């Protein structure tokens, strides 16, 4: 690698780090005898596979030049920072050389908008096309679709990329136009619709014909910035819930606003990213996707913002003591899922195990249930604890949030995800 390419790599990798929507799933592109790379397995970009492997990708921008002046973006045109642009050939060669040295297993490629959306999108497509056709690269490719790009370019991108994504960025159109005056919801949702139509049409074609190239087999994702606008959590979750109704959207990512620019009166004066809020939104998102919760159950007019002190499932349970206690030996799967401290795997294990006898506290503990939470919301064969019916919800909350438990105090700014046990 020559010094010029190395300098571009430093600049454009730094510019790409604020985009968090780079995990992959759902693709099964396998290697061939004449190709290199494989996109099988779970996530990429320092995600972990089921067997514990850390899988990485080259997370890079084609260019950090941009014609837009979005208040929240480090690469906005009014910022005085080092700019760089890869040629298509440079980026293709860089990806192949990194793969051959076992540095990466995939590519996450985004870009600032130069000239116009179609010009930028065409260059992104050329990178993916050359990797697939000229180098027979079969590894994972995630392309960021440019808002405002034409349908023809989106359709071509889907033939070479495993996943396509378009970032919504700001969950409210009025706030988006204030912070990013060159963008609007139509320019964002139109390419999202093109991607969805392309995936659905491809699925129908694959039912009729034996050999049809797959179109974006890992679906699409999007990202919202949290804390850059005054939007409440209920609005964010309702938008996410509506997006998940679309069959091709795999993930909504939430990125705590990072104050990377000089103070702008349109932006809040935050000293640090709202990581705890970001964490709670991911937990709420998990509840909607895997725990059968509706958005209005988690956040609504009465509770417009998520409780930062406790996880969303526990907050819901404390607001609805009339739903508890749940009899573990009799309740249905949906109700067991709503018990704090019981995850999806544990709930399924309960259903299977209780066929062979009544379950007690010891069996539940062996299943991985967090009894310090669950004991206030369940009954079983021999559980000797008082439930939320005997103890007021406020008292349960006080017990579960007691800081003086003898454990090392955790830094509340750190992001900690524990979906399975929440």
């Amino acid at each position: 690698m020559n010094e010029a390419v190395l300098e571009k790599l430093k600049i454009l990798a730094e510019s790409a780090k604020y985009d968090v929507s780079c995990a992959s799933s759902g693709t099964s592109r396998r290697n061939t005898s004449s190709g290199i790379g494989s996109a099988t397995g779970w996530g990429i970009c320092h995600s972990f596979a089921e067997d514990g492997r850390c899988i990485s990708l080259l997370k890079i921008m084609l260019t950090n030049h941009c014609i837009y002046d979005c208040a929240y973006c480090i690469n906005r045109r009014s910022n005085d920072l080092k700019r760089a642009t890869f040629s298509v050939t440079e980026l293709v060669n860089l990806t192949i050389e990194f793969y051959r040295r076992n540095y990466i297993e995939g590519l996450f490629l985004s870009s600032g908008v130069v000239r116009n959306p179609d010009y930028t999108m065409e260059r992104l497509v050329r990178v993916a096309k050359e990797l697939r056709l000229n180098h027979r690269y079969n590894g994972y490719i995630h392309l960021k679709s440019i808002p405002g790009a034409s349908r023809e370019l989106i359709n071509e991108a889907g033939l070479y990329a495993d996943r396509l994504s378009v970032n919504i960025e700001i969950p409210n159109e009025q706030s988006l136009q204030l912070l990013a005056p060159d963008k609007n919801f139509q320019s964002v949702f139109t390419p999202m619709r093109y991607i969805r139509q392309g995936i659905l049409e491809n699925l129908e074609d694959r039912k009729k014909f034996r050999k049809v190239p797959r179109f974006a087999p890992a679906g699409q994702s999007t990202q919202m910035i949290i804390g850059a606008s005054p939007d409440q959590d209920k609005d964010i979750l309702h938008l996410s819930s509506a997006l998940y109704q679309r069959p091709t959207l795999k993930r909504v990512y939430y990125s705590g606003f990072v104050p990377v620019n000089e103070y702008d009166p349109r932006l809040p004066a935050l000293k640090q990213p709202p990581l705890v809020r970001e964490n709670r939104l991911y937990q709420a998102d998990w509840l909607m996707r895997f725990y059968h919760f509706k958005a209005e159950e988690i956040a609504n007019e009465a509770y417009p913002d998520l409780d930062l002190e406790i996880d969303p499932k526990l907050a819901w349970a404390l607001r609805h003591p009339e739903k508890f206690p749940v009899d573990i030996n009799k309740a249905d799967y949906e109700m067991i899922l709503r018990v704090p401290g019981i995850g999806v795997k544990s709930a399924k294990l309960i259903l299977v195990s209780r066929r062979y006898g009544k379950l007690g506290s010891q069996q539940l503990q062996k299943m991985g249930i967090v009894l310090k939470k669950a004991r206030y919301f369940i009954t079983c064969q021999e559980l000797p604890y008082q439930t939320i019916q005997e103890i007021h919800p406020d008292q349960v909350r006080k017990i579960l949030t007691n800081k003086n438990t003898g454990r090392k105090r955790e830094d509340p700014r750190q992001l900690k995800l524990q979906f399975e046990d929440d």
Side-chain angles (χ1 to χ4, degrees):
M1 186 189 307
N2 61 46
E3 290 186 7
V5 174
L6 179 60
E7 181 64 19
K8 290 180 182 181
L9 176 62
K10 291 178 181 178
I11 295 171
L12 295 172
E14 177 71 16
S15 297
K17 72 180 184 181
Y18 297 103
D19 197 324
V20 301
S21 57
C22 55
S24 73
S25 61
T27 185
S28 57
R29 190 188 300 273
R30 296 183 179 276
N31 193 10
T32 62
S33 58
S34 60
I36 60 173
S38 174
T40 58
W42 287 77
I44 297 186
C45 189
H46 300 291
S47 293
F48 289 89
E50 286 187 307
D51 59 3
R53 292 179 301 113
C54 181
I55 308 174
S56 59
L57 87 166
L58 176 60
K59 185 177 180 181
I60 198 77
M61 295 186 74
L62 184 66
T63 179
N64 64 347
H65 288 275
C66 193
I67 61 175
Y68 296 154
D69 198 33
C70 304
Y72 48 80
C73 182
I74 185 67
N75 300 307
R76 65 181 184 176
R77 68 169 182 263
S78 58
N79 269 3
D80 183 17
L81 74 161
K82 286 187 177 180
R83 305 284 180 171
T85 301
F86 277 122
S87 69
V88 171
T89 301
E90 284 175 336
L91 189 49
V92 168
N93 291 339
L94 186 68
T95 303
I96 294 301
E97 290 303 317
F98 272 32
Y99 178 80
R100 285 174 173 161
R101 287 168 171 77
N102 202 30
Y103 295 160
I104 62 168
E105 296 180 64
L107 172 68
F108 175 87
L109 180 60
S110 61
S111 178
V113 181
V114 289
R115 296 193 185 180
N116 56 64
D118 276 352
Y119 175 82
T120 308
M121 191 69 208
E122 187 270 338
R123 290 171 64 83
L124 294 177
V125 173
R126 280 178 56 197
V127 172
K129 187 174 182 179
E130 287 198 21
L131 284 170
R132 296 296 191 209
L133 301 184
N134 296 347
H135 294 273
R136 297 291 188 268
Y137 176 73
N138 294 303
Y140 178 80
I141 297 178
H142 182 157
L143 289 185
K144 301 296 295 187
S145 300
I146 304 299
S150 68
R151 183 167 188 169
E152 291 74 19
L153 287 170
I154 297 294
N155 288 341
E156 188 176 11
L159 297 177
Y160 304 112
D162 293 285
R163 173 169 286 183
L164 297 172
S165 60
V166 187
N167 286 353
I168 295 175
E169 303 290 14
I170 303 298
N172 177 280
E173 185 165 21
Q174 185 177 357
S175 298
L176 178 66
Q177 292 193 346
L178 174 65
L179 300 177
D182 302 300
K183 296 180 180 179
N184 56 59
F185 268 15
Q186 182 178 355
S187 67
V188 173
F189 286 113
T190 298
M192 291 180 75
R193 185 174 71 252
Y194 292 157
I195 297 169
R196 181 174 74 253
Q197 291 172 348
I199 293 173
L200 295 177
E201 289 172 4
N202 182 254
L203 290 175
E204 290 299 318
D205 290 342
R206 288 174 62 83
K207 293 177 183 177
K208 299 176 184 177
F209 307 103
R210 292 184 62 184
K211 293 185 178 180
V212 176
R214 299 192 70 183
F215 184 95
Q220 62 174 313
S221 61
T222 189
Q223 171 181 294
M224 286 187 270
I225 298 174
I226 307 305
S229 60
D231 302 287
Q232 296 179 307
D233 293 338
K234 68 177 179 63
D235 302 318
I236 295 169
L237 292 175
H238 284 165
L239 176 57
S240 297
S241 178
L243 291 172
Y244 281 132
Q245 301 304 313
R246 303 174 182 183
T248 62
L249 188 86
K250 300 299 182 182
R251 286 291 304 273
V252 177
Y253 291 86
Y254 308 94
S255 176
F257 168 60
V258 180
V260 292
N261 299 320
E262 293 295 326
Y263 178 69
D264 188 316
R266 295 173 293 174
L267 294 170
L270 299 181
K271 294 182 179 179
Q272 60 188 27
L275 293 184
V276 177
R277 185 184 179 195
E278 177 186 312
N279 183 19
R280 296 301 179 216
L281 282 167
Y282 272 116
Q283 291 174 325
D285 184 275
W286 206 261
L287 293 181
M288 292 192 297
R289 294 168 61 210
F290 300 109
Y291 287 76
H292 305 174
F293 277 78
K294 296 180 180 178
E296 55 268 22
E297 294 181 286
I298 304 170
N300 48 45
E301 291 296 334
Y303 301 94
D305 291 309
L306 298 175
D307 193 323
L308 299 184
E309 194 173 36
I310 57 177
D311 67 78
K313 191 204 279 193
L314 178 57
W316 178 86
L318 292 176
R319 293 198 302 265
H320 296 278
E322 73 280 0
K323 303 284 187 181
F324 302 97
V326 171
D327 188 339
I328 288 297
N329 290 296
K330 296 180 180 179
D332 59 20
Y333 175 69
E334 285 71 20
M335 199 60 219
I336 293 175
L337 271 182
R338 292 183 174 239
V339 176
I342 298 182
V344 173
K345 292 181 181 178
S346 300
K348 291 179 179 178
L349 194 55
I350 287 172
L351 293 184
V352 173
S353 302
R354 71 186 188 185
R355 297 175 187 172
Y356 305 99
K358 290 184 177 290
L359 301 178
S361 58
Q362 290 186 349
Q363 291 95 328
L364 294 177
Q365 207 159 14
K366 289 179 181 178
M367 293 178 190
I369 292 171
V370 184
L371 279 180
K372 68 178 181 180
K373 281 187 183 180
R375 65 188 185 185
Y376 301 105
F377 303 95
I378 63 174
T379 59
C380 63
Q381 186 180 20
E382 72 231 359
L383 202 62
Y385 300 113
Q386 291 179 308
T387 69
I388 197 171
Q389 294 300 328
E390 288 82 41
I391 307 176
H392 193 273
D394 289 342
Q395 184 63 22
V396 174
R397 178 193 176 98
K398 185 176 180 181
I399 294 170
L400 293 177
T401 57
N402 182 15
K403 300 293 190 300
N404 300 319
T405 57
R407 296 185 303 171
K408 183 180 179 181
R409 188 173 181 179
E410 296 174 350
D411 186 343
R413 296 172 297 174
Q414 296 304 310
L415 181 62
K416 184 178 180 182
L417 304 180
Q418 288 185 330
F419 297 121
E420 191 56 43
D421 295 329
D422 57 15

